[in-house]
Amino acid sequence: MKHDNTPQPAERSDDGGQPIRVLIVDDHEVLAASLARVLDEEPDMVSVGLADSLAQARARVTTAAPDVLLLDRRLPDGDGVAAIPELRALRPSMNVVVLTAAVADNVLVQAIEAGAAGFVSKTRGLSEVTAAVRAAAAGESVISPEMLSRLLPKLSRSSGPEPDLTRREQEVLSMLAQGLSNAAIAEKLTVSVHTVRNHIANLSAKLGAHSKLEALSIAVRRGLYPGL
């Protein structure tokens, strides 16, 4: 088993690349262990620890160096969503996916504003968890287009330096707000997917974001996306 509480050396995935390192933070022991087993069976990911509290999460984010954090909202010593900025500050390259049950929109909005890459429901199939981990590790948004369109108008507005986005970057931003995939954006713009990825990387860097959803959140909150 690779999911004990001692960080393990990363094994190589079948394609020769480093596996996606995942830390699971949930106080439901059976669920957390089940998720870890599922992750460990995937050739391109590895569980690097379990934490059942925010205190343990803080320590293990630092020592286990996860690429993706699967984070429950309700933990014995606090609110997981409220702790996202602190946890991400410990490892800025880490993307956070919130494990949800039935959660009100205001909580989901708070998670987006805190920098979450998206959400995955505890009530859905475990295959959706592995898909969410892969998406988050790639900087993709882990959120449905329907949920995205519902939540974006509810984001609070904030001030900040206005980045100099190019016209094409603004076009890409608009399409991200529609929930379009990189492939769909490439088709609309008649460019390669690689070019779209470069545009997203550039606009994310200008906004100080590490994922599509975070970039979109920052843009909407600063009034850079005129569609809202």
Side-chain angles (χ1 to χ4, degrees), residues 56-87:
Q56 286 187 358
R58 294 183 190 101
R60 289 178 184 144
V61 162
T62 301
T63 58
D67 302 308
V68 175
L69 182 70
L70 289 176
L71 177 66
D72 191 18
R73 178 197 170 202
R74 297 185 183 277
L75 294 163
D77 54 349
D79 184 333
V81 168
I84 290 174
E86 176 189 3
L87 294 171

PDB file of all heavy atoms in Angstrom, residues 56-87:
ATOM      1  N   GLN A  56      -2.870  17.984  10.330  1.00  0.00           N
ATOM      2  CA  GLN A  56      -2.100  16.985   9.597  1.00  0.00           C
ATOM      3  C   GLN A  56      -1.886  17.405   8.145  1.00  0.00           C
ATOM      4  O   GLN A  56      -0.816  17.173   7.581  1.00  0.00           O
ATOM      5  CB  GLN A  56      -2.815  15.640   9.639  1.00  0.00           C
ATOM      6  CG  GLN A  56      -2.749  14.929  10.975  1.00  0.00           C
ATOM      7  CD  GLN A  56      -3.323  13.529  10.909  1.00  0.00           C
ATOM      8  OE1 GLN A  56      -3.807  13.094   9.861  1.00  0.00           O
ATOM      9  NE2 GLN A  56      -3.269  12.808  12.023  1.00  0.00           N
ATOM     10  N   ALA A  57      -2.885  18.027   7.559  1.00  0.00           N
ATOM     11  CA  ALA A  57      -2.769  18.455   6.165  1.00  0.00           C
ATOM     12  C   ALA A  57      -1.630  19.451   6.001  1.00  0.00           C
ATOM     13  O   ALA A  57      -0.852  19.367   5.052  1.00  0.00           O
ATOM     14  CB  ALA A  57      -4.079  19.072   5.695  1.00  0.00           C
ATOM     15  N   ARG A  58      -1.531  20.413   6.913  1.00  0.00           N
ATOM     16  CA  ARG A  58      -0.466  21.416   6.827  1.00  0.00           C
ATOM     17  C   ARG A  58       0.908  20.742   6.849  1.00  0.00           C
ATOM     18  O   ARG A  58       1.802  21.098   6.071  1.00  0.00           O
ATOM     19  CB  ARG A  58      -0.583  22.404   7.991  1.00  0.00           C
ATOM     20  CG  ARG A  58      -1.831  23.268   7.948  1.00  0.00           C
ATOM     21  CD  ARG A  58      -1.833  24.273   9.091  1.00  0.00           C
ATOM     22  NE  ARG A  58      -3.117  24.942   9.195  1.00  0.00           N
ATOM     23  CZ  ARG A  58      -4.062  24.630  10.083  1.00  0.00           C
ATOM     24  NH1 ARG A  58      -3.836  23.661  10.972  1.00  0.00           N
ATOM     25  NH2 ARG A  58      -5.203  25.271  10.105  1.00  0.00           N
ATOM     26  N   ALA A  59       1.074  19.779   7.738  1.00  0.00           N
ATOM     27  CA  ALA A  59       2.364  19.100   7.852  1.00  0.00           C
ATOM     28  C   ALA A  59       2.664  18.278   6.615  1.00  0.00           C
ATOM     29  O   ALA A  59       3.781  18.297   6.091  1.00  0.00           O
ATOM     30  CB  ALA A  59       2.365  18.216   9.094  1.00  0.00           C
ATOM     31  N   ARG A  60       1.666  17.566   6.098  1.00  0.00           N
ATOM     32  CA  ARG A  60       1.919  16.644   4.996  1.00  0.00           C
ATOM     33  C   ARG A  60       1.999  17.325   3.645  1.00  0.00           C
ATOM     34  O   ARG A  60       2.626  16.802   2.734  1.00  0.00           O
ATOM     35  CB  ARG A  60       0.876  15.531   5.025  1.00  0.00           C
ATOM     36  CG  ARG A  60       1.161  14.642   6.222  1.00  0.00           C
ATOM     37  CD  ARG A  60       0.225  13.531   6.456  1.00  0.00           C
ATOM     38  NE  ARG A  60       0.637  12.887   7.709  1.00  0.00           N
ATOM     39  CZ  ARG A  60      -0.176  12.378   8.605  1.00  0.00           C
ATOM     40  NH1 ARG A  60      -1.475  12.408   8.384  1.00  0.00           N
ATOM     41  NH2 ARG A  60       0.283  11.835   9.706  1.00  0.00           N
ATOM     42  N   VAL A  61       1.359  18.474   3.497  1.00  0.00           N
ATOM     43  CA  VAL A  61       1.552  19.231   2.254  1.00  0.00           C
ATOM     44  C   VAL A  61       3.017  19.601   2.118  1.00  0.00           C
ATOM     45  O   VAL A  61       3.593  19.564   1.026  1.00  0.00           O
ATOM     46  CB  VAL A  61       0.656  20.494   2.247  1.00  0.00           C
ATOM     47  CG1 VAL A  61       1.147  21.497   1.210  1.00  0.00           C
ATOM     48  CG2 VAL A  61      -0.795  20.123   1.964  1.00  0.00           C
ATOM     49  N   THR A  62       3.638  19.947   3.240  1.00  0.00           N
ATOM     50  CA  THR A  62       5.044  20.349   3.227  1.00  0.00           C
ATOM     51  C   THR A  62       5.970  19.170   2.989  1.00  0.00           C
ATOM     52  O   THR A  62       6.926  19.254   2.208  1.00  0.00           O
ATOM     53  CB  THR A  62       5.412  21.027   4.556  1.00  0.00           C
ATOM     54  OG1 THR A  62       4.566  22.169   4.756  1.00  0.00           O
ATOM     55  CG2 THR A  62       6.863  21.485   4.560  1.00  0.00           C
ATOM     56  N   THR A  63       5.692  18.033   3.631  1.00  0.00           N
ATOM     57  CA  THR A  63       6.626  16.904   3.558  1.00  0.00           C
ATOM     58  C   THR A  63       6.371  15.967   2.378  1.00  0.00           C
ATOM     59  O   THR A  63       7.309  15.382   1.839  1.00  0.00           O
ATOM     60  CB  THR A  63       6.569  16.079   4.855  1.00  0.00           C
ATOM     61  OG1 THR A  63       5.220  15.619   5.070  1.00  0.00           O
ATOM     62  CG2 THR A  63       6.998  16.923   6.051  1.00  0.00           C
ATOM     63  N   ALA A  64       5.095  15.831   1.957  1.00  0.00           N
ATOM     64  CA  ALA A  64       4.771  14.872   0.900  1.00  0.00           C
ATOM     65  C   ALA A  64       4.823  15.471  -0.497  1.00  0.00           C
ATOM     66  O   ALA A  64       4.816  14.747  -1.484  1.00  0.00           O
ATOM     67  CB  ALA A  64       3.385  14.271   1.146  1.00  0.00           C
ATOM     68  N   ALA A  65       4.848  16.800  -0.596  1.00  0.00           N
ATOM     69  CA  ALA A  65       4.948  17.496  -1.881  1.00  0.00           C
ATOM     70  C   ALA A  65       3.917  17.025  -2.900  1.00  0.00           C
ATOM     71  O   ALA A  65       4.279  16.589  -4.004  1.00  0.00           O
ATOM     72  CB  ALA A  65       6.362  17.361  -2.451  1.00  0.00           C
ATOM     73  N   PRO A  66       2.618  17.089  -2.577  1.00  0.00           N
ATOM     74  CA  PRO A  66       1.607  16.626  -3.535  1.00  0.00           C
ATOM     75  C   PRO A  66       1.431  17.581  -4.709  1.00  0.00           C
ATOM     76  O   PRO A  66       1.633  18.787  -4.584  1.00  0.00           O
ATOM     77  CB  PRO A  66       0.332  16.575  -2.685  1.00  0.00           C
ATOM     78  CG  PRO A  66       0.539  17.631  -1.646  1.00  0.00           C
ATOM     79  CD  PRO A  66       2.013  17.588  -1.329  1.00  0.00           C
ATOM     80  N   ASP A  67       1.028  17.014  -5.837  1.00  0.00           N
ATOM     81  CA  ASP A  67       0.641  17.824  -6.992  1.00  0.00           C
ATOM     82  C   ASP A  67      -0.835  18.218  -6.895  1.00  0.00           C
ATOM     83  O   ASP A  67      -1.224  19.294  -7.346  1.00  0.00           O
ATOM     84  CB  ASP A  67       0.855  17.030  -8.287  1.00  0.00           C
ATOM     85  CG  ASP A  67       2.286  16.575  -8.455  1.00  0.00           C
ATOM     86  OD1 ASP A  67       3.183  17.427  -8.358  1.00  0.00           O
ATOM     87  OD2 ASP A  67       2.502  15.370  -8.667  1.00  0.00           O
ATOM     88  N   VAL A  68      -1.633  17.310  -6.321  1.00  0.00           N
ATOM     89  CA  VAL A  68      -3.074  17.532  -6.164  1.00  0.00           C
ATOM     90  C   VAL A  68      -3.473  17.202  -4.738  1.00  0.00           C
ATOM     91  O   VAL A  68      -3.036  16.191  -4.178  1.00  0.00           O
ATOM     92  CB  VAL A  68      -3.884  16.658  -7.146  1.00  0.00           C
ATOM     93  CG1 VAL A  68      -5.390  16.817  -6.894  1.00  0.00           C
ATOM     94  CG2 VAL A  68      -3.554  17.021  -8.591  1.00  0.00           C
ATOM     95  N   LEU A  69      -4.302  18.065  -4.165  1.00  0.00           N
ATOM     96  CA  LEU A  69      -4.842  17.850  -2.828  1.00  0.00           C
ATOM     97  C   LEU A  69      -6.337  17.592  -2.954  1.00  0.00           C
ATOM     98  O   LEU A  69      -7.079  18.435  -3.457  1.00  0.00           O
ATOM     99  CB  LEU A  69      -4.594  19.087  -1.962  1.00  0.00           C
ATOM    100  CG  LEU A  69      -5.049  19.017  -0.504  1.00  0.00           C
ATOM    101  CD1 LEU A  69      -4.175  18.045   0.274  1.00  0.00           C
ATOM    102  CD2 LEU A  69      -4.987  20.398   0.144  1.00  0.00           C
ATOM    103  N   LEU A  70      -6.797  16.409  -2.529  1.00  0.00           N
ATOM    104  CA  LEU A  70      -8.221  16.111  -2.432  1.00  0.00           C
ATOM    105  C   LEU A  70      -8.650  16.496  -1.025  1.00  0.00           C
ATOM    106  O   LEU A  70      -8.214  15.878  -0.047  1.00  0.00           O
ATOM    107  CB  LEU A  70      -8.494  14.627  -2.700  1.00  0.00           C
ATOM    108  CG  LEU A  70      -8.316  14.150  -4.141  1.00  0.00           C
ATOM    109  CD1 LEU A  70      -8.539  12.642  -4.224  1.00  0.00           C
ATOM    110  CD2 LEU A  70      -9.273  14.870  -5.086  1.00  0.00           C
ATOM    111  N   LEU A  71      -9.496  17.503  -0.912  1.00  0.00           N
ATOM    112  CA  LEU A  71      -9.753  18.141   0.380  1.00  0.00           C
ATOM    113  C   LEU A  71     -11.228  18.128   0.740  1.00  0.00           C
ATOM    114  O   LEU A  71     -12.068  18.673   0.000  1.00  0.00           O
ATOM    115  CB  LEU A  71      -9.245  19.597   0.323  1.00  0.00           C
ATOM    116  CG  LEU A  71      -9.477  20.477   1.542  1.00  0.00           C
ATOM    117  CD1 LEU A  71      -8.668  19.964   2.731  1.00  0.00           C
ATOM    118  CD2 LEU A  71      -9.084  21.924   1.223  1.00  0.00           C
ATOM    119  N   ASP A  72     -11.544  17.528   1.890  1.00  0.00           N
ATOM    120  CA  ASP A  72     -12.906  17.566   2.402  1.00  0.00           C
ATOM    121  C   ASP A  72     -13.168  18.937   3.016  1.00  0.00           C
ATOM    122  O   ASP A  72     -12.249  19.601   3.503  1.00  0.00           O
ATOM    123  CB  ASP A  72     -13.093  16.473   3.452  1.00  0.00           C
ATOM    124  CG  ASP A  72     -14.549  16.271   3.837  1.00  0.00           C
ATOM    125  OD1 ASP A  72     -15.439  16.709   3.082  1.00  0.00           O
ATOM    126  OD2 ASP A  72     -14.799  15.667   4.905  1.00  0.00           O
ATOM    127  N   ARG A  73     -14.429  19.350   2.994  1.00  0.00           N
ATOM    128  CA  ARG A  73     -14.765  20.649   3.569  1.00  0.00           C
ATOM    129  C   ARG A  73     -14.844  20.590   5.093  1.00  0.00           C
ATOM    130  O   ARG A  73     -14.273  21.429   5.781  1.00  0.00           O
ATOM    131  CB  ARG A  73     -16.094  21.139   3.007  1.00  0.00           C
ATOM    132  CG  ARG A  73     -16.510  22.474   3.607  1.00  0.00           C
ATOM    133  CD  ARG A  73     -17.980  22.757   3.389  1.00  0.00           C
ATOM    134  NE  ARG A  73     -18.407  23.899   4.166  1.00  0.00           N
ATOM    135  CZ  ARG A  73     -19.662  24.138   4.505  1.00  0.00           C
ATOM    136  NH1 ARG A  73     -20.617  23.304   4.138  1.00  0.00           N
ATOM    137  NH2 ARG A  73     -19.982  25.187   5.213  1.00  0.00           N
ATOM    138  N   ARG A  74     -15.553  19.613   5.624  1.00  0.00           N
ATOM    139  CA  ARG A  74     -15.782  19.546   7.072  1.00  0.00           C
ATOM    140  C   ARG A  74     -14.727  18.651   7.717  1.00  0.00           C
ATOM    141  O   ARG A  74     -14.733  17.438   7.524  1.00  0.00           O
ATOM    142  CB  ARG A  74     -17.187  19.013   7.364  1.00  0.00           C
ATOM    143  CG  ARG A  74     -18.294  19.917   6.834  1.00  0.00           C
ATOM    144  CD  ARG A  74     -19.655  19.393   7.257  1.00  0.00           C
ATOM    145  NE  ARG A  74     -20.742  20.197   6.720  1.00  0.00           N
ATOM    146  CZ  ARG A  74     -21.185  21.320   7.270  1.00  0.00           C
ATOM    147  NH1 ARG A  74     -20.643  21.765   8.388  1.00  0.00           N
ATOM    148  NH2 ARG A  74     -22.189  21.982   6.720  1.00  0.00           N
ATOM    149  N   LEU A  75     -13.856  19.263   8.496  1.00  0.00           N
ATOM    150  CA  LEU A  75     -12.803  18.541   9.193  1.00  0.00           C
ATOM    151  C   LEU A  75     -12.892  18.841  10.697  1.00  0.00           C
ATOM    152  O   LEU A  75     -13.449  19.874  11.094  1.00  0.00           O
ATOM    153  CB  LEU A  75     -11.439  18.932   8.635  1.00  0.00           C
ATOM    154  CG  LEU A  75     -11.217  18.500   7.179  1.00  0.00           C
ATOM    155  CD1 LEU A  75     -10.064  19.253   6.552  1.00  0.00           C
ATOM    156  CD2 LEU A  75     -10.985  16.990   7.093  1.00  0.00           C
ATOM    157  N   PRO A  76     -12.359  17.963  11.525  1.00  0.00           N
ATOM    158  CA  PRO A  76     -12.536  18.133  12.969  1.00  0.00           C
ATOM    159  C   PRO A  76     -12.023  19.459  13.525  1.00  0.00           C
ATOM    160  O   PRO A  76     -12.566  19.974  14.509  1.00  0.00           O
ATOM    161  CB  PRO A  76     -11.752  16.950  13.555  1.00  0.00           C
ATOM    162  CG  PRO A  76     -11.689  15.951  12.467  1.00  0.00           C
ATOM    163  CD  PRO A  76     -11.636  16.733  11.193  1.00  0.00           C
ATOM    164  N   ASP A  77     -10.985  20.005  12.912  1.00  0.00           N
ATOM    165  CA  ASP A  77     -10.387  21.231  13.455  1.00  0.00           C
ATOM    166  C   ASP A  77     -10.590  22.446  12.555  1.00  0.00           C
ATOM    167  O   ASP A  77      -9.875  23.442  12.691  1.00  0.00           O
ATOM    168  CB  ASP A  77      -8.896  21.022  13.721  1.00  0.00           C
ATOM    169  CG  ASP A  77      -8.133  20.524  12.493  1.00  0.00           C
ATOM    170  OD1 ASP A  77      -8.799  20.134  11.500  1.00  0.00           O
ATOM    171  OD2 ASP A  77      -6.892  20.520  12.521  1.00  0.00           O
ATOM    172  N   GLY A  78     -11.586  22.389  11.652  1.00  0.00           N
ATOM    173  CA  GLY A  78     -11.854  23.589  10.866  1.00  0.00           C
ATOM    174  C   GLY A  78     -12.490  23.308   9.522  1.00  0.00           C
ATOM    175  O   GLY A  78     -12.785  22.163   9.165  1.00  0.00           O
ATOM    176  N   ASP A  79     -12.684  24.385   8.778  1.00  0.00           N
ATOM    177  CA  ASP A  79     -13.321  24.357   7.461  1.00  0.00           C
ATOM    178  C   ASP A  79     -12.239  24.211   6.394  1.00  0.00           C
ATOM    179  O   ASP A  79     -11.372  25.074   6.257  1.00  0.00           O
ATOM    180  CB  ASP A  79     -14.107  25.656   7.272  1.00  0.00           C
ATOM    181  CG  ASP A  79     -14.889  25.698   5.967  1.00  0.00           C
ATOM    182  OD1 ASP A  79     -14.482  25.043   4.992  1.00  0.00           O
ATOM    183  OD2 ASP A  79     -15.901  26.413   5.907  1.00  0.00           O
ATOM    184  N   GLY A  80     -12.297  23.102   5.641  1.00  0.00           N
ATOM    185  CA  GLY A  80     -11.288  22.864   4.622  1.00  0.00           C
ATOM    186  C   GLY A  80     -11.260  23.933   3.553  1.00  0.00           C
ATOM    187  O   GLY A  80     -10.184  24.344   3.096  1.00  0.00           O
ATOM    188  N   VAL A  81     -12.437  24.418   3.138  1.00  0.00           N
ATOM    189  CA  VAL A  81     -12.501  25.451   2.108  1.00  0.00           C
ATOM    190  C   VAL A  81     -11.818  26.731   2.580  1.00  0.00           C
ATOM    191  O   VAL A  81     -11.049  27.350   1.847  1.00  0.00           O
ATOM    192  CB  VAL A  81     -13.961  25.726   1.702  1.00  0.00           C
ATOM    193  CG1 VAL A  81     -14.059  26.982   0.853  1.00  0.00           C
ATOM    194  CG2 VAL A  81     -14.523  24.537   0.937  1.00  0.00           C
ATOM    195  N   ALA A  82     -12.083  27.119   3.822  1.00  0.00           N
ATOM    196  CA  ALA A  82     -11.471  28.344   4.362  1.00  0.00           C
ATOM    197  C   ALA A  82      -9.953  28.217   4.461  1.00  0.00           C
ATOM    198  O   ALA A  82      -9.232  29.223   4.436  1.00  0.00           O
ATOM    199  CB  ALA A  82     -12.061  28.658   5.733  1.00  0.00           C
ATOM    200  N   ALA A  83      -9.461  26.980   4.541  1.00  0.00           N
ATOM    201  CA  ALA A  83      -8.019  26.764   4.694  1.00  0.00           C
ATOM    202  C   ALA A  83      -7.284  26.666   3.365  1.00  0.00           C
ATOM    203  O   ALA A  83      -6.049  26.558   3.351  1.00  0.00           O
ATOM    204  CB  ALA A  83      -7.772  25.484   5.503  1.00  0.00           C
ATOM    205  N   ILE A  84      -7.996  26.693   2.247  1.00  0.00           N
ATOM    206  CA  ILE A  84      -7.343  26.525   0.944  1.00  0.00           C
ATOM    207  C   ILE A  84      -6.213  27.536   0.707  1.00  0.00           C
ATOM    208  O   ILE A  84      -5.114  27.143   0.288  1.00  0.00           O
ATOM    209  CB  ILE A  84      -8.375  26.581  -0.196  1.00  0.00           C
ATOM    210  CG1 ILE A  84      -9.258  25.331  -0.178  1.00  0.00           C
ATOM    211  CG2 ILE A  84      -7.684  26.698  -1.564  1.00  0.00           C
ATOM    212  CD1 ILE A  84     -10.399  25.354  -1.177  1.00  0.00           C
ATOM    213  N   PRO A  85      -6.415  28.844   0.947  1.00  0.00           N
ATOM    214  CA  PRO A  85      -5.305  29.778   0.691  1.00  0.00           C
ATOM    215  C   PRO A  85      -4.053  29.448   1.501  1.00  0.00           C
ATOM    216  O   PRO A  85      -2.929  29.515   0.979  1.00  0.00           O
ATOM    217  CB  PRO A  85      -5.896  31.133   1.104  1.00  0.00           C
ATOM    218  CG  PRO A  85      -7.368  30.969   0.930  1.00  0.00           C
ATOM    219  CD  PRO A  85      -7.644  29.553   1.338  1.00  0.00           C
ATOM    220  N   GLU A  86      -4.242  29.064   2.754  1.00  0.00           N
ATOM    221  CA  GLU A  86      -3.094  28.727   3.599  1.00  0.00           C
ATOM    222  C   GLU A  86      -2.386  27.474   3.089  1.00  0.00           C
ATOM    223  O   GLU A  86      -1.143  27.436   3.016  1.00  0.00           O
ATOM    224  CB  GLU A  86      -3.570  28.496   5.033  1.00  0.00           C
ATOM    225  CG  GLU A  86      -2.472  28.049   5.983  1.00  0.00           C
ATOM    226  CD  GLU A  86      -2.992  27.613   7.340  1.00  0.00           C
ATOM    227  OE1 GLU A  86      -4.225  27.593   7.530  1.00  0.00           O
ATOM    228  OE2 GLU A  86      -2.153  27.277   8.191  1.00  0.00           O
ATOM    229  N   LEU A  87      -3.153  26.465   2.711  1.00  0.00           N
ATOM    230  CA  LEU A  87      -2.554  25.224   2.226  1.00  0.00           C
ATOM    231  C   LEU A  87      -1.833  25.437   0.895  1.00  0.00           C
ATOM    232  O   LEU A  87      -0.740  24.899   0.679  1.00  0.00           O
ATOM    233  CB  LEU A  87      -3.635  24.149   2.081  1.00  0.00           C
ATOM    234  CG  LEU A  87      -4.285  23.674   3.385  1.00  0.00           C
ATOM    235  CD1 LEU A  87      -5.491  22.784   3.093  1.00  0.00           C
ATOM    236  CD2 LEU A  87      -3.270  22.918   4.236  1.00  0.00           C
TER     237      LEU A  87
END
